[in-house]
């Protein structure tokens, strides 16, 4: 009751929603010279109206290249911040400013500064899923699609701090044979998958392949025949001759999997509890309605101090140079 009243009040303040939201968003896009960038974990309607859909690395590259005046980021806060770091003169909009990330939140700047000080002479490689403050304290940024490649390019004798995801960090250690000092952060979505239920699904679907994102725990990764970023998972299930997949990542990706491989069957890996907690509660805060209001009102806007932006830009540029 309270929520409905509040929603109505919010809508009255903002005006009436147009009947055809898709058409209204397309016309605002022209008016603003805007580009809509969406992550694979966004709801299907947002993916369908986006100009570009991608994983974190592809989205950062798209943000770097765009000629648009306005970037509407259908993703979470750290992704929109990344777009702003690369485009200080563009207006960057995030449909819901509360669309954060448990992984980014697991690494507060003051605690990380102390951790870094306790490990002098270490190079800091940070996963892009972190705040601009953490990026500003890092030497190189990586994403799930280039983390292994980036760590492999660092001289063997150089000690490394890897932050903030301990699961991706552990996976990179296994793949590279390097000993990394890990910040103990994690993603609330990728830690929710049940190993027991995945094993039960594999027994019930003996022809199915399990595929997983490296943010998952090692108990889940060991059942996967392919591990990769969202874009890599999408590519893999298109090229593999297998017809059925158990997908251990946020199920928003299944919309594209189904579109690009319509003859195949995708089963979302189940969470431990009987909940929808395999859906990212932050990504799902964005809706088509909020996207429309963000473009109509040119807010909420991503801002940051120029000092932090410049300090965060340097490790971002190193990543882009090292992952061509
Ligand atoms: P990628 O986009 O690199 O696959 O990462 C997934 C994720 O958790 C984004 O928040
Ligand atoms: Fe963050 Fe996990 Fe959501 Fe990705 S899926 S945005 S890492 S909470």
């Amino acid at each position: 009751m309270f929520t409905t009243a509040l929603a109505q009040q919010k809508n009255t303040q903002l005006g009436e929603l147009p009947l055809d939201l898709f058409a209204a968003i397309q016309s605002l896009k022209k008016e603003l010279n805007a580009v809509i960038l969406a992550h694979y974990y966004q709801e299907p309607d947002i993916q369908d109206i986006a100009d570009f859909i991608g994983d974190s690395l592809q989205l950062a590259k798209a943000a770097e290249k765009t000629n648009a005046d306005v970037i509407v980021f259908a993703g979470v806060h750290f992704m929109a911040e990344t777009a702003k770091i690369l485009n200080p003169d563009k207006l960057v909009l995030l449909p819901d400013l509360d669309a954060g990330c448990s992984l980014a939140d697991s690494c507060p700047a003051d605690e990380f500064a102390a951790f870094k000080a306790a490990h002098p002479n270490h190079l800091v490689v940070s996963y892009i899923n972190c705040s601009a403050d953490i990026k500003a304290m890092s030497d190189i940024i990586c994403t799930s699609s280039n983390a292994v490649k980036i760590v492999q390019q660092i001289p063997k004798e150089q000690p490394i701090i890897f932050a903030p995801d301990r699961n991706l960090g552990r996976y990179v250690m296994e793949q590279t044979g390097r000993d990394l000092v890990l910040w103990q952060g994690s993603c609330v979505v990728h830690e929710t998958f049940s190993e027991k239920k995945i094993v039960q699904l594999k027994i019930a679907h003996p022809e199915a392949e399990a595929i997983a994102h490296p943010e998952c725990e090692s108990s889940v990764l060991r059942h996967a025949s392919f591990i990769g970023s969202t874009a890599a998972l999408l590519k893999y299930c298109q090229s593999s001759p297998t017809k059925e997949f158990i997908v251990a990542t946020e199920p928003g990706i299944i919309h594209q999997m189904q579109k690009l491989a319509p003859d195949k069957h995708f089963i979302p890996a189940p969470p431990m509890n009987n909940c929808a907690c395999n859906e990212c509660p932050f990504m799902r805060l964005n809706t088509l309605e909020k996207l429309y209001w963000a473009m109509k009102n040119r807010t909420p806007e991503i801002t940051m101090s120029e000092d932090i932006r410049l300090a965060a830009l340097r490790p971002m540029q190193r990543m882009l140079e090292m992952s061509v």
Side-chain angles (χ1 to χ4, degrees):
M1 188 67 185
F2 172 74
T3 319
T4 313
L6 201 69
Q8 279 165 357
Q9 186 193 357
K10 228 172 158 184
N11 273 350
T12 324
Q13 280 169 2
L14 295 165
E16 288 298 318
L17 268 178
L19 282 179
D20 187 344
L21 262 185
F22 270 82
I25 290 171
Q26 294 294 4
S27 121
L28 278 170
K29 222 162 69 175
K30 281 201 192 109
E31 194 187 310
L32 298 175
N33 185 26
V35 66
I36 302 176
L37 305 181
H39 191 268
Y40 290 122
Y41 296 164
Q42 291 293 282
E43 63 174 39
D45 278 349
I46 294 184
Q47 293 190 35
D48 289 345
I49 203 159
D51 297 294
F52 184 85
I53 319 167
D55 71 358
S56 306
L57 181 62
Q58 294 171 326
L59 289 168
K61 286 183 173 170
E64 192 200 20
K65 283 197 199 108
T66 184
N67 292 323
D69 296 318
V70 177
I71 298 175
V72 186
F73 215 110
V76 289
H77 195 272
F78 75 80
M79 295 179 173
E81 243 182 11
T82 301
K84 187 67 183 178
I85 291 166
L86 296 165
N87 293 284
D89 300 328
K90 294 190 197 295
L91 174 66
V92 178
L93 301 170
L94 180 65
D96 191 321
L97 262 195
D98 289 332
C101 167
S102 68
L103 187 48
D105 290 349
S106 69
C107 194
D110 52 346
E111 289 175 33
F112 188 68
F115 184 75
K116 198 181 148 179
H119 298 88
N121 309 322
H122 282 60
L123 196 87
V124 179
V125 178
S126 294
Y127 187 30
I128 201 164
N129 298 33
C130 64
S131 66
D133 288 343
I134 300 297
K135 288 186 177 76
M137 283 186 255
S138 306
D139 296 295
I140 312 172
I141 301 302
C142 70
T143 75
S144 61
S145 62
N146 61 18
V148 169
K149 195 172 160 184
I150 281 183
V151 169
Q152 277 169 339
Q153 291 175 62
I154 299 169
K156 287 219 165 15
E157 59 285 0
Q158 172 63 59
I160 301 171
I161 290 176
F162 188 91
D165 188 21
R166 63 176 174 216
N167 292 321
L168 178 63
R170 203 180 302 115
Y171 173 73
V172 173
M173 282 169 75
E174 281 165 19
Q175 296 297 306
T176 60
R178 299 288 292 262
D179 191 19
L180 309 177
V181 176
L182 301 182
W183 178 266
Q184 294 298 313
S186 62
C187 158
V188 70
V189 176
H190 288 90
E191 285 212 326
T192 200
F193 298 115
S194 157
E195 179 186 13
K196 189 173 157 200
K197 290 183 188 172
I198 290 173
V199 172
Q200 284 167 346
L201 271 175
K202 284 183 88 168
I203 294 167
H205 300 262
E207 304 294 317
E209 260 190 87
I211 57 174
H213 194 280
E215 283 179 26
C216 293
E217 291 183 310
S218 47
S219 57
V220 166
L221 293 185
R222 69 166 167 252
H223 298 287
S225 53
F226 181 80
I227 297 166
S229 77
T230 44
L233 295 176
L234 187 59
K235 201 170 160 201
Y236 179 77
C237 62
Q238 284 172 267
S239 61
S240 162
T242 303
K243 293 282 180 210
E244 200 169 33
F245 296 90
I246 299 160
V247 183
T249 191
E250 216 274 4
I253 183 81
I254 292 178
H255 182 58
Q256 289 306 316
M257 288 177 168
Q258 206 66 79
K259 268 176 126 172
L260 295 171
D263 58 324
K264 299 191 179 183
H265 182 222
F266 301 97
I267 308 166
M272 285 177 222
N273 303 315
N274 292 324
C275 57
C277 22
N278 55 350
E279 287 187 1
C280 174
F282 308 102
M283 286 277 182
R284 303 294 176 134
L285 281 177
N286 293 326
T287 60
L288 206 57
E289 287 80 2
K290 287 182 196 169
L291 193 120
Y292 166 78
W293 288 123
M295 293 176 80
K296 176 95 178 144
N297 299 318
R298 291 126 169 95
T299 186
E301 179 188 356
I302 300 292
T303 55
M304 76 192 66
S305 80
E306 188 59 3
D307 285 355
I308 290 291
R309 190 192 72 79
L310 287 173
L313 179 62
R314 193 182 38 88
M316 278 293 306
Q317 283 173 330
R318 276 192 91 181
M319 171 186 84
L320 293 169
E321 286 157 18
M322 290 170 84
S323 55
V324 279

